[in-house]
Amino acid sequence: MLHLDMDRAVLANTRFAISPLATLAGALRLLRDDARPGGGWRGRVQEAVRERRLVLLSALFGGSWDYVPDFLTPQPQTPEAPVQEELHAVATTASARLRWELQVMAQGVGEERLAGRVLPVVLREALERGERDFAALVAAELERLWDSALAPHWPALHHRMEEDITHRARTTARHGLAGMLATLHPRVHWNDDRLNLVGRFQARIPGSTGLVLTPSVFPTGLRVVIDSVPSPAARQPMLAYPARPGPGGGPGRTVHALLGATRARLLSDLHAARTTAELSERHFLATSTVSYHLGILHRTGLITRTRAGAHVLYQRTHRATDLLADPRPR
């Protein structure tokens, strides 16, 4: 679990921002969900990556690792950062930050660190030209993908995020900032002066000068972006969260009301096959509680159950993926 300290300075400087590159990263992360059917945004991004030969982005987002480097989503300096400003931030990423994050991506962190595992060849070859050239090449690929896949739809996507921010502002006015933060995602929990994010990574993020919240229109979960290498110019932590479905809705609007927060959270995590024990550890729930909810999800046809040796593996079905997903673009 990640713990973000929320002292008075962080609370006073918590703000919303719309980030073009955080949105683009959300679209790229759709490529990592093999359970998601083709077409829609996933198909559009796949086609653009293939046709424009965006080999670095394909390698960065196409691996089996859980972590994708944070330098790809720079912190918005204004409420609505221009895409060129963010692309410049990627192209000028500090060398130490870039190399450290690529190493973490390849080898993992903590107990799951994989000794001897290296970056894909295409990334290693690009990195041999130097960190500055590598960052510039990645920024150039991001720009080409932006121009072809997202820019034509940006007004509609931007409007959707603006509507989400307006809704969050109303929630804050009625229930306070702590109440609003607790509604961002089933994995977000407010506890006294700390924001807890349920997940497989264990870390405590000390209080900073603020927190940046940016909505994502793509259903790719929750993501925290922090400065991996300490520096005098360390940025505020950024939390990218899924925006609410737009008017007219789609099935994602009612999934939590239909299933309940705990079952929705478990179902969201079953894009990969997992055991009851693994889910219990990842979500800090009793094994009996997980078994109870999995039984309900299985009886409703939202997950499959298969045996692998001594273990029983659960994974969501295409029907469940559709239920969790936002509406596809027309």
Side-chain angles (χ1 to χ4, degrees):
M1 181 182 292
L2 293 176
H3 306 282
L4 174 62
D5 292 341
M6 298 286 289
D7 59 21
R8 285 181 295 178
V10 179
L11 288 170
N13 292 290
T14 294
R15 62 186 176 91
F16 285 91
I18 291 177
S19 168
L21 287 194
T23 306
L24 188 60
L28 280 162
R29 291 176 77 87
L30 294 173
L31 303 180
R32 302 168 62 81
D33 189 353
D34 292 334
R36 187 178 298 279
W41 276 110
R42 186 170 188 263
R44 178 175 297 158
V45 174
Q46 281 180 322
E47 182 179 2
V49 168
R50 181 177 61 253
E51 290 186 351
R52 294 181 174 266
R53 299 180 181 178
L54 306 180
V55 294
L56 297 181
L57 292 182
S58 179
L60 287 166
F61 286 89
S64 59
W65 38 77
D66 289 332
Y67 172 77
V68 175
D70 288 335
F71 79 89
L72 297 166
T73 50
Q75 182 185 99
Q77 298 303 310
T78 59
E80 297 186 28
V83 67
Q84 290 300 326
E85 178 182 301
E86 294 193 336
L87 288 168
H88 175 74
V90 172
T92 56
T93 300
S95 298
R97 176 188 177 98
L98 187 149
R99 187 171 286 276
W100 191 90
E101 290 185 357
L102 289 174
Q103 180 181 348
V104 171
M105 182 190 75
Q107 298 182 356
V109 293
E111 297 179 355
E112 297 183 357
R113 188 175 181 83
L114 302 175
R117 183 172 173 180
V118 296
L119 293 170
V121 173
V122 64
L123 297 181
R124 294 206 312 271
E125 290 178 347
L127 197 55
E128 287 174 358
R129 298 172 56 177
E131 288 86 352
R132 289 187 177 182
D133 282 353
F134 183 93
L137 288 170
V138 171
E141 288 197 3
L142 286 169
E143 184 172 21
R144 296 206 300 275
L145 181 60
W146 169 267
D147 289 340
S148 61
L150 254 67
H153 306 277
W154 185 241
L157 298 175
H158 184 278
H159 178 70
R160 164 100 175 275
M161 288 183 278
E162 283 282 13
E163 287 190 329
D164 179 87
I165 292 173
T166 299
H167 169 78
R168 308 293 175 183
R170 287 198 299 266
T171 303
T172 302
R174 293 173 181 171
H175 304 288
L177 183 60
M180 184 277 295
L181 290 171
T183 68
L184 291 177
H185 192 274
R187 286 174 47 208
V188 175
H189 303 283
W190 175 263
N191 183 17
D192 294 330
D193 58 351
R194 185 173 295 173
L195 197 65
N196 300 315
L197 290 81
V198 176
R200 65 187 306 176
F201 296 113
Q202 303 282 332
R204 179 176 178 178
I205 305 171
S208 179
T209 57
L211 173 66
V212 179
L213 303 171
T214 180
S216 171
V217 292
F218 300 107
T220 52
L222 195 70
R223 185 160 185 251
V224 182
V225 180
I226 59 174
D227 271 351
S228 53
V229 178
S231 72
R235 306 175 308 171
Q236 298 169 342
M238 183 171 76
L239 182 62
Y241 66 91
R244 300 168 69 250
R253 173 183 285 274
T254 57
V255 64
H256 288 87
L258 288 171
L259 301 178
T262 301
R263 283 193 284 275
R265 194 166 77 227
L266 292 172
L267 191 64
S268 178
D269 198 24
L270 285 173
H271 57 86
R274 306 192 192 282
T275 65
T276 302
E278 185 179 1
L279 289 167
S280 173
E281 181 180 352
R282 288 167 64 88
H283 294 271
F284 300 91
L285 296 170
T287 304
S288 58
T289 300
V290 173
S291 296
Y292 168 74
H293 290 303
L294 291 179
I296 294 174
L297 292 172
H298 183 258
R299 288 193 295 273
T300 56
L302 294 176
I303 62 174
T304 60
R305 183 169 57 194
T306 57
R307 181 168 292 278
H311 301 288
V312 176
L313 297 174
Y314 297 87
Q315 189 166 10
R316 72 186 186 215
T317 62
H318 288 308
R319 177 187 170 197
T321 299
D322 290 340
L323 184 66
L324 290 167
D326 288 344
R328 300 291 189 267
R330 292 179 173 84

